[in-house]
Amino acid sequence: MARTAAVRRPSLFRRITAENSTVRRLDGLMLVAVAGLCVIGTLLVWSSTRTWAPGSTGLVKKHLLNETIGVVLCGIVAMVDHRAMRAYAPLVFLLSLVGLGLVITPLGATINGSHSWILLGGGFAVQPSEFAKVGLLLIIAMLLAQPAEGSDRPRGLDVTLVLVCASITMGLVMLQPDLGTAMVLAVITAAGLIIAGMRKRWIGGLTMVAGAGMFSVFYFQMLEPYQVARFTAFVDPSVDPRGVGYNSTQSMIAIGSGQLLGKGLLGGGQTTGRFVPEQHTDFIFTVAGEEFGFLGSVTVVLLLGVVLLRGLKIARQCEDRFGTLVAGTIVCWFAFQTFINVGMTIGIMPITGLPLPFVSYGGTATFANLIAVGLLQAIRVRRQSFN
């Protein structure tokens, strides 16, 4: 009697490394760049907090925990078909609005002058405005994914709905107030509309409206005093070098003192002496400049550039409109936030509370950034699978 040969199932390693496996279809270069930025960020957080934070090792462990959770979220999102996400975009957007709404209730908490947080206990807090970036870009991509009949441009109704969604989101953020995040949300909205092929007259009209809105904000004094002081210091840092111009002046001193090769990890005098406030969050680039020097700072910027270029490639090669819009808006989000953060530390941009993607300390921002990377990977994986 013939004996049926048992069919051996391929090992887990063979399944993972198979040519058609999901892992092989990921953008490895982007993931390596993101991992490098996270490692650098952890070192800089340790260096900038070790002399003053109670139990600074615990702060670094908390940062590592945030990164670990972010990587898990990135992996989960990357495994989901991005086209299926189109159906969940309204739910994600509504949940982000709920989070923003809870901030302005008694559940909200004020940290560093901005009422943007919800305290969870145990030293943990969540900033819903970071998740709002993801929610807004998904709803924008969903609304603009279907062009007008017989055209490749978005329908007027869809553009109107996008503007309504963006206005509600930015309005809730400005109530906190968080001007930096509102600027990022505006860039995400503009990027989505431009990538979708909105007509030039619409773009011109919206630009005029945005300009009028900015003028009204200043004319009617709708900004908080500390926000006005930041713009004043940007225009003339010498106006009050020990007051409103202090952060800008000290950050440039720290970066300049690093020269070409830097003073070495843990060797920065400006960092150790805490001359620059918030060096582990908004001003973490000053730590890189002082301790790793010009070459180290350029390395950080180049790694971020790799993430942006790979994201652009994913957007360009995607064969469906929704994926292209999601990838394109994520790239614009990261690019704008990087430019603002680095620019404010070297004196070419006003100071805003925007962290450096993948490098600055912060749980919710880390989660949102890595979820966005997961979206980019999901788009690439499904494109490769379709081909």
Side-chain angles (χ1 to χ4, degrees):
M1 182 176 177
R3 300 177 65 180
T4 303
V7 179
R8 293 189 61 185
R9 189 178 182 185
S11 65
L12 177 62
F13 177 78
R14 286 182 176 274
R15 293 200 303 272
I16 291 176
T17 58
E19 185 175 354
N20 62 343
S21 69
T22 300
V23 173
R24 288 285 295 273
R25 296 197 299 268
L26 294 172
D27 191 319
L29 186 56
M30 176 187 288
L31 293 178
V32 169
V34 170
L37 289 167
C38 289
V39 170
I40 292 173
T42 302
L43 293 175
L44 297 179
V45 168
W46 175 42
S47 177
S48 60
T49 61
R50 66 186 180 89
T51 59
W52 60 268
S56 59
T57 304
L59 196 65
V60 174
K61 290 180 180 178
K62 184 178 175 181
H63 184 63
L64 289 171
L65 175 62
N66 291 333
E67 290 180 332
T68 302
I69 296 173
V71 169
V72 172
L73 293 174
C74 175
I76 293 173
V77 173
M79 301 300 292
V80 179
D81 190 333
H82 73 277
R83 291 164 292 191
M85 294 178 190
R86 184 174 174 178
Y88 296 103
L91 177 61
V92 175
F93 176 68
L94 288 175
L95 288 175
S96 69
L97 292 185
V98 170
L100 292 175
L102 290 175
V103 168
I104 58 178
T105 68
L107 294 175
T110 301
I111 299 178
N112 294 334
S114 182
H115 197 76
S116 307
W117 304 82
I118 297 175
L119 300 181
L120 301 179
F124 290 90
V126 64
Q127 188 177 11
S129 58
E130 291 292 338
F131 292 131
K133 299 173 185 176
V134 179
L136 181 61
L137 73 87
L138 285 177
I139 196 68
I140 288 174
M142 187 208 75
L143 290 171
L144 301 178
Q146 185 64 41
E149 187 174 353
S151 172
D152 60 350
R153 299 182 183 278
R155 296 175 295 185
L157 176 60
D158 293 334
V159 172
T160 303
L161 290 175
V162 165
L163 296 177
V164 170
C165 292
S167 298
I168 295 173
T169 307
M170 286 188 284
L172 289 172
V173 169
M174 285 303 296
L175 287 176
Q176 298 175 4
D178 187 350
L179 181 61
T181 301
M183 290 167 59
V184 175
L185 295 172
V187 167
I188 289 174
T189 304
L193 291 170
I194 292 172
I195 294 170
M198 188 175 67
R199 296 185 182 278
K200 292 181 180 179
R201 62 174 179 267
W202 276 82
I203 297 176
L206 291 175
T207 302
M208 294 177 62
V209 171
M214 293 178 62
F215 175 79
S216 300
V217 167
F218 284 96
Y219 184 79
F220 292 106
Q221 301 179 356
M222 299 170 65
L223 295 177
E224 295 292 324
Y226 76 91
Q227 293 173 327
V228 176
R230 287 176 175 179
F231 280 101
T232 303
F234 168 66
V235 174
D236 184 9
S238 64
V239 67
D240 187 5
R242 295 188 178 182
V244 295
Y246 178 83
N247 289 6
S248 178
T249 302
Q250 293 299 321
S251 65
M252 288 188 285
I253 292 174
I255 292 175
S257 66
Q259 299 184 2
L260 182 63
L261 299 177
K263 301 176 181 178
L265 184 65
L266 311 181
Q270 292 286 113
T271 299
T272 303
R274 295 188 64 196
F275 288 97
V276 183
E278 306 300 330
Q279 277 193 293
H280 62 304
T281 53
D282 300 344
F283 285 90
I284 199 165
F285 192 74
T286 64
V287 186
E290 182 179 23
E291 299 190 348
F292 296 155
F294 176 77
L295 293 181
S297 302
V298 169
T299 299
V300 172
V301 174
L302 287 178
L303 288 174
L304 286 163
V306 170
V307 176
L308 298 179
L309 289 175
R310 300 304 294 180
L312 283 175
K313 184 177 181 180
I314 291 171
R316 181 172 57 85
Q317 293 181 342
C318 186
E319 297 181 357
D320 69 279
R321 192 177 175 91
F322 177 77
T324 298
L325 285 164
V326 170
T329 51
I330 289 174
V331 170
C332 292
W333 158 17
F334 285 168
F336 177 77
Q337 195 158 317
T338 298
F339 176 75
I340 293 295
N341 182 276
V342 175
M344 73 179 187
T345 61
I346 60 178
I348 64 173
M349 293 299 294
I351 294 174
T352 56
L354 291 178
L356 187 61
F358 312 110
V359 181
S360 293
Y361 176 85
T364 316
T366 300
F367 300 158
N369 292 335
L370 290 174
I371 287 173
V373 172
L375 287 170
L376 291 172
Q377 296 294 337
I379 295 168
R380 176 181 167 83
V381 166
R382 297 309 175 274
R383 180 192 68 82
Q384 296 265 342
S385 177
F386 178 76
N387 290 340

